[in-house]
Amino acid sequence: MSIWQLDADLGAELGLLALAFALSLAIGVERSRRQKSAGLRTHVLVCLGSAMFTLVSAYGFESVLGPDVVVDPSRIAAQIVSGIGFLGAGVIFVRHNVVNGLTSAATIWMVAAIGMACGAGMPFLAIAGTLLHLITVGPLSRLRDRVRPGPERIRIQVRYLPEHGALKSVQSAATALGMPASLLGASRVAGEPEMRAVLEFQGSANELERAVLVDAIGALPDVQGVTLQPSSDDE
């Protein structure tokens, strides 16, 4: 028998893989728009990998089945749950006693579950999980911001030219205004000579003080743009 005869459900398997791609793409776009460390490609690859592992676990060993051979289709899938934890742990970090990256890690874990649901032939469960995820990181986050006690920390994104120490000037300007800054991450803008950095400022400030901070940083040489971002304790 040929490989195509052995895999009579090839069309259905490719359809489930395409569904995993589409659902993870939606989640990855949302994460990328929020400038998270785990973005579009990471989420798509995790979801596709989980779906493929599950498909292989369920259907990849049918040719070796026999009266003396028993295959447990849950064994490979079970390893995804524990293995994905190592990847999620890589986006969690602590700075100044503040934990960041928990939501990103949970999203990677969630997208792996969506991929497994696709691979297991449960498309409606995968779609429902994706919709609930988007609700959680969207409308539910805004509700959290309304009921969460205490002031919100200031977080800004700065686009700058790296040649003349612009980032150090930004941190010096913030310190002069009484709001020392911590660098959360920096990356190069694709196809551009600019860098993009996200900084978080200690303490809180009213709208006027935030505007003064943004204006002061925006007026610095080599700073191309400043964007005020919402901050979260765990994202």
Side-chain angles (χ1 to χ4, degrees):
M1 296 178 66
S2 70
I3 187 173
W4 303 108
Q5 290 173 320
L6 287 174
D7 197 357
D9 296 326
L10 179 63
E13 293 168 3
L14 292 178
L16 292 171
L17 203 60
L19 178 63
F21 175 81
L23 296 179
S24 60
L25 187 65
I27 294 175
V29 167
E30 184 275 332
R31 292 282 91 187
S32 293
R33 290 182 61 186
R34 291 174 177 263
Q35 302 292 337
K36 301 305 176 184
S37 54
L40 189 149
R41 291 179 297 180
T42 300
H43 287 85
V44 170
L45 291 174
V46 167
C47 192
L48 285 177
S50 299
M52 290 187 67
F53 275 125
T54 306
L55 285 167
V56 169
S57 180
Y59 309 113
F61 304 100
E62 292 182 347
S63 61
V64 302
L65 292 178
D68 298 323
V69 178
V70 178
V71 176
D72 181 4
S74 68
R75 290 185 64 185
I76 294 179
Q79 301 306 310
I80 300 173
V81 179
S82 57
I84 205 67
F86 290 97
L87 184 60
V91 299
I92 301 174
F93 58 94
V94 181
R95 183 176 284 113
H96 298 295
N97 294 323
V98 175
V99 179
N100 287 278
L102 288 177
T103 300
S104 294
T107 301
I108 292 175
W109 193 49
M110 180 67 181
V111 83
I114 292 170
M116 291 177 67
C118 290
M122 307 171 74
F124 294 109
L125 180 63
I127 293 171
T130 302
L131 292 176
L132 289 173
H133 165 80
L134 294 175
I135 291 172
T136 301
V137 299
L140 197 60
S141 291
R142 291 191 287 273
L143 176 62
R144 183 277 319 273
D145 293 337
R146 291 184 178 182
V147 302
R148 181 179 57 185
E152 185 180 30
R153 300 191 307 275
I154 306 172
R155 186 177 294 179
I156 66 169
Q157 177 181 283
V158 180
R159 292 168 64 100
Y160 64 97
L161 297 174
E163 288 81 7
H164 303 101
L167 197 54
K168 290 184 179 180
S169 298
V170 169
Q171 293 176 306
S172 297
T175 301
L177 292 172
M179 288 181 282
S182 298
L183 178 64
L184 297 184
S187 60
R188 184 170 295 277
V189 179
E192 300 289 340
E194 301 175 355
M195 294 286 290
R196 178 175 55 205
V198 177
L199 299 101
E200 189 169 79
F201 299 84
Q202 297 179 19
S204 60
N206 56 38
E207 291 187 10
L208 178 59
E209 291 170 329
R210 294 186 185 198
V212 170
L213 176 65
V214 170
D215 290 342
I217 293 175
L220 294 172
D222 297 319
V223 172
Q224 306 297 300
V226 182
T227 305
L228 192 63
Q229 292 188 324
S231 66
S232 171
D233 289 336
D234 57 358
E235 291 186 357

